[in-house]
Structures are given as structure tokens and as C-alpha cells.
């Protein structure tokens, strides 16, 4: 089977984690760039990437890169792609994209040119003046950065953070891919106790449970490319069987607490949808009263930031109370806190041992690491 090129967009700051995930899946030429990771594989790897990636946002099939400083160059560059190898006669091919620091800066105009170029190529191949677009969707994407155009097909459909378990949520939900990254950065593998005292709809403990069980996060959802003729149905079944064969089955101590009973009810429902209700516990609890025991453990959490869920003063008081709780946590516990509040460390009462810049959607945050021992 011939080699193809994939691009996996990700939240800023997670490129290294996504690259590590892709290497563990055995793909080659892994190259991290700002906001995405490139790699090579075969079309049989397309299901494996979609099913297994925890921190990537989607899987794009990279079709061509070229330079375009005018609409004619854009049209000819897009038309040179062998679209007929991917899109059938009745396939839908909507177009979306973005342009940054390029001479062709009007995104709607570029979308129109890309659409015409794909239609011209497909119309000539199938002998049609007008294409019906009544079949499956083949989402065309383009990115223009400093006049360099990259053209893709989106194989995922809804973003990979949409695992399928969070049908409902509470305010200010944390993206599942970011939650998985936080758990990964805590080096949690299921052996030690795991706590999240501000669990909200349960995303962080659920992602911790999926990681502990080594359960592929995409097993309970569908992907656009499952309906494409270029990827055999057998490849999807093989990828799912491979993923399930690698699951672990053991006992884990994973707990999430929240002061809001409604959030706890939602978290329990989400855990059931994710198939981890047997390994994660949720309770209505005030973080001020948190008690942990055991020499080693992980506490990974995303407390309210202040600008969205609480007034600034309330948030700062919450951080002070949480800082008092931290002083009673055994010294070898690893504590990770995601926050966008500029005064978090001052209120918490301790400087982070290290920090990492991350983004929760478009909100710039810091992941603060604390460990005394």
C-alpha cells in the first residue's frame, strides 16, 4: 500500500504529546510544527489514528503543498490534486480554510476558488458539467500561511475531542483532548490514586480512567472516513480489534468531586457513556474539605478561573482555601492545576515548581506543577 501524509492539528502547547502518541502507533517521519503534527503512513493507519489519538484534534489527509500569490496559482495548484482518487462522482465536497499573512487574504474568495478547482477536476474526470453532491461528505480544507497553501481532506468529521460520552455538560467545559493531556503530563498510568476536587462534568477523571484502562478514546463514535470508499471497512474493524486487545482490566482508585450536585450527576452519566463507571467514583464534595492519603498519588484539576464562573474575589478566596488543602497533601503527590488567573500562585500561597503554557479553546492558560518530594 502506498504511503500518504497526515496532519494532526492540536491545541497550542500539545504538539510534543501528539507527536509521542503518533510514534507509539508506529507511524513515520513525525514532525511537530506550531499547532499541528505531520507524519507518514498508509490509509490503513487512518482508522488507527482516529481511534487512538487522545490529544490531537482531528486527522487530516495532506494532499498537496504549493505557493500561491494570486487566484490563478491557487486554482491550478488545487486542480492538480487527483481528487478523483478520493471523491466519488456524487460526493459532497464543502470547503473551509483560513489565511494568515498571505496576499490572498479573503477567505470567502479563496473558498470559492478552491471549490471551483475541485469541481473542475472532478467534472472533467466524470464527464459532468454539474456535480450532484448527493453522497457522502468529503470535507476539503486549506490553510494559507505566508502564501504557502496546504490542501487537506478531513477524515474525522466532528473533532476528536468529541469522544461521544459528553452528551450534556456544565458551564465552561474542559475540552477532552486538553484533559487527556493534563493527565498524561501528570504521568498517570493507573497505579496510584487519582483525584480531581473540581471535577465539573467529570472530564478529567473520565480521561484518567480511559488512560488507566488504555481504552482507545474513539471507540464509541463515528468518523467521516468510515463512509469513504478509499478506506476498506476491514481496516476500521482491524483497528478497533487491535485497540480493544490492548485494553487493561484492573482496579483503579480514581475520584472526582464537585460542590455542585447537578455536576456530579452529569459526571456519573458521562462516565457510564464512556464505559468507565466501574473504575471512577464521583461525589458531591467541597474542595476545602479534601483529604488524601497514601504516599504517592496524582491530583489534576481545573478550578474555576474567575472571569467566567466566579467573580474574581470569589475565585481568589477559593484558591487560598485550596492552597491550605495542598499543605496537608503528602509531599510525594504530584499536583497539576490548570488556570488562566494571573494571581493564582499568589493566592494559592506557593510558586509552581514548573509551568507550561496551554490553551483551553482560545483561552490562554498555565498548567502549574507542584510537588514537594
Amino acid at each position: 500500500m502506498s504511503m500518504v501524509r497526515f496532519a494532526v492539528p492540536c491545541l497550542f502547547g500539545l504538539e510534543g504529546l501528539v507527536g509521542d502518541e503518533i510514534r507509539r502507533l508506529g507511524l513515520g517521519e513525525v514532525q511537530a510544527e506550531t499547532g499541528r503534527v505531520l507524519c507518514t503512513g498508509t490509509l490503513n493507519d487512518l482508522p488507527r489514528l482516529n481511534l487512538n489519538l487522545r490529544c490531537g484534534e482531528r486527522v487530516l489527509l495532506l494532499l498537496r503543498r504549493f505557493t500561491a500569490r494570486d487566484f490563478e496559482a491557487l486554482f491550478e495548484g488545487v486542480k492538480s490534486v487527483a481528487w478523483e482518487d478520493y471523491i466519488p462522482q456524487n460526493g459532497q465536497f464543502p470547503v473551509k480554510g483560513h489565511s494568515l499573512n498571505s496576499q490572498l487574504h479573503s477567505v470567502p474568495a479563496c473558498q470559492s476558488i478552491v471549490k471551483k478547482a475541485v469541481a473542475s477536476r472532478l467534472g472533467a474526470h466524470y464527464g459532468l458539467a454539474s456535480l450532484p453532491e448527493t453522497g457522502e461528505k468529503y470535507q476539503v480544507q486549506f490553510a494559507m500561511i505566508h502564501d504557502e497553501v496546504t490542501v487537506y481532506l478531513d477524515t474525522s468529521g466532528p473533532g476528536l475531542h468529541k469522544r461521544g460520552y459528553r452528551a450534556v455538560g456544565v458551564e465552561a467545559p474542559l475540552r477532552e483532548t486538553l484533559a487527556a493531556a493534563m493527565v498524561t503530563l501528570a504521568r498517570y498510568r493507573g497505579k496510584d490514586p487519582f483525584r480531581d476536587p473540581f471535577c465539573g462534568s467529570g472530564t478529567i477523571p473520565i480521561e484518567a480512567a480511559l488512560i488507566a484502562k488504555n481504552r482507545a478514546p474513539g471507540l464509541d463514535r463515528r468518523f467521516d472516513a468510515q463512509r469513504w470508499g478509499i478506506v476498506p471497512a476491514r481496516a476500521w474493524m482491524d483497528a478497533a480489534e487491535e485497540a480493544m486487545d490492548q485494553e487493561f482490566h484492573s482496579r483503579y482508585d480514581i475520584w472526582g468531586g464537585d460542590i455542585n450536585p447537578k455536576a456530579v450527576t452529569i459526571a456519573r452519566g458521562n462516565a457510564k457513556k464512556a464505559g468507565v463507571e466501574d473504575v471512577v467514583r464521583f461525589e458531591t464534595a467541597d474542595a476545602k474539605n479534601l483529604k488524601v492519603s497514601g504516599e504517592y498519588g496524582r491530583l489534576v484539576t481545573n478550578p474555576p478561573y474567575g472571569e467566567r464562573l466566579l467573580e474574581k474575589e470569589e475565585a481568589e478566596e477559593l484558591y487560598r482555601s485550596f492552597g491550605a488543602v495542598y499543605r496537608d497533601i503528602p509531599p510525594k503527590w504530584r499536583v497539576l492545576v490548570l488556570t488562566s488567573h494571573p494571581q493564582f500562585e499568589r493566592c494559592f500561597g506557593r510558586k509552581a515548581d514548573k509551568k507550561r503554557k496551554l490553551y483551553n479553546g482560545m483561552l490562554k492558560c498555565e498548567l502549574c506543577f507542584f510537588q514537594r518530594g
Side-chain angles (χ1 to χ4, degrees):
M1 186 175 286
S2 60
M3 301 298 286
V4 294
R5 192 86 166 135
F6 297 107
V8 180
C10 60
L11 295 172
F12 293 118
L14 302 188
E15 296 89 349
L17 295 185
V18 173
D20 290 342
E21 287 190 275
I22 293 171
R23 289 185 189 94
R24 284 195 294 272
L25 289 172
L27 280 80
E29 298 181 46
V30 179
Q31 178 185 351
E33 299 182 349
T34 302
R36 68 179 180 181
V37 180
L38 306 177
C39 62
T40 56
T42 69
L43 286 176
N44 283 342
D45 291 312
L46 191 157
R48 298 176 67 239
L49 286 166
N50 275 295
L51 286 169
N52 289 286
L53 289 179
R54 299 187 188 280
C55 302
E57 290 300 313
R58 58 183 64 249
V59 179
L60 305 177
L61 195 57
L62 197 161
L63 301 181
R64 184 150 187 237
R65 277 176 145 174
F66 59 93
T67 299
R69 297 185 177 87
D70 55 47
F71 287 130
E72 182 180 358
L74 178 62
F75 182 92
E76 293 300 330
V78 173
K79 188 179 178 182
S80 70
V81 175
W83 295 102
E84 65 276 8
D85 291 348
Y86 306 97
I87 303 176
Q89 180 174 306
N90 67 340
Q92 299 180 53
F93 52 99
V95 176
K96 63 182 178 182
H98 63 271
S99 177
L100 181 66
N101 297 326
S102 297
Q103 294 189 45
L104 300 178
H105 53 82
S106 170
V107 172
C110 291
Q111 283 178 294
S112 177
I113 294 297
V114 171
K115 180 78 175 181
K116 288 176 182 176
V118 179
S120 176
R121 174 85 185 212
L122 291 176
H125 177 80
Y126 292 119
L128 295 173
S130 177
L131 294 159
E133 295 198 58
T134 55
E136 302 297 347
K137 185 178 77 170
Y138 294 75
Q139 179 68 61
V140 177
Q141 285 199 26
F142 67 88
M144 300 186 66
I145 302 174
H146 297 293
D147 299 324
E148 182 183 68
V149 183
T150 312
V151 182
Y152 313 95
L153 276 178
D154 178 2
T155 75
S156 301
L160 296 184
H161 67 279
K162 295 186 178 181
R163 316 287 206 216
Y165 65 72
R166 195 165 68 185
V168 292
V170 293
E171 290 181 77
L174 181 71
R175 188 170 286 203
E176 293 88 331
T177 44
L178 181 54
M182 293 166 63
V183 175
T184 301
L185 289 167
R187 299 179 187 171
Y188 176 70
R189 296 292 182 270
K191 179 181 177 182
D192 300 320
F194 185 96
R195 302 288 182 265
D196 176 5
F198 301 98
C199 73
S201 56
T203 307
I204 293 174
I206 289 170
E207 291 297 322
L210 292 171
I211 286 172
K213 290 169 66 75
N214 200 36
R215 180 172 175 80
L219 281 172
D220 296 324
R221 57 159 286 177
R222 302 281 293 176
F223 304 95
D224 277 6
Q226 283 180 269
R227 298 183 288 271
W228 295 0
I230 61 170
V231 185
R234 183 74 248 175
W236 291 95
M237 290 187 284
D238 288 346
E241 289 173 7
E242 176 192 50
M244 289 187 287
D245 286 345
Q246 294 176 2
E247 285 188 24
F248 304 141
H249 301 281
S250 185
R251 296 178 64 85
Y252 306 102
D253 183 5
I254 303 171
W255 176 90
D258 200 279
I259 200 168
N260 182 353
K262 180 183 175 183
V264 172
T265 299
I266 291 170
R268 287 173 179 155
N270 290 344
K272 187 171 184 180
K273 293 186 189 80
V276 296
E277 74 276 16
D278 58 329
V279 297
V280 60
R281 297 175 291 117
F282 291 105
E283 293 177 352
T284 302
D286 190 335
K288 298 176 186 176
N289 303 322
L290 178 69
K291 303 290 183 184
V292 303
S293 59
E295 185 178 5
Y296 296 96
R298 307 288 191 277
L299 191 157
V300 182
T301 195
N302 176 40
Y305 295 156
E307 65 260 35
R308 292 192 293 173
L309 293 183
L310 296 174
E311 295 299 327
K312 185 178 179 183
E313 294 79 7
E314 289 182 276
E316 291 179 355
E317 179 57 36
L318 181 66
Y319 301 155
R320 280 189 282 271
S321 299
F322 187 37
V325 168
Y326 175 79
R327 289 192 284 273
D328 292 328
I329 290 176
K332 292 184 180 178
W333 272 61
R334 187 172 291 142
V335 176
L336 278 68
V337 182
L338 183 71
T339 180
S340 70
H341 197 295
Q343 299 300 320
F344 172 77
E345 291 170 279
R346 177 182 62 79
C347 299
F348 190 69
R350 178 185 170 89
K351 294 281 288 183
D353 295 299
K354 67 175 180 176
K355 293 187 284 188
R356 184 169 182 145
K357 290 182 181 178
L358 295 174
Y359 282 80
N360 184 7
M362 296 303 294
L363 187 63
K364 186 177 180 180
C365 301
E366 286 186 322
L367 185 61
C368 298
F369 295 73
F370 301 93
Q371 185 170 2
R372 297 193 300 275

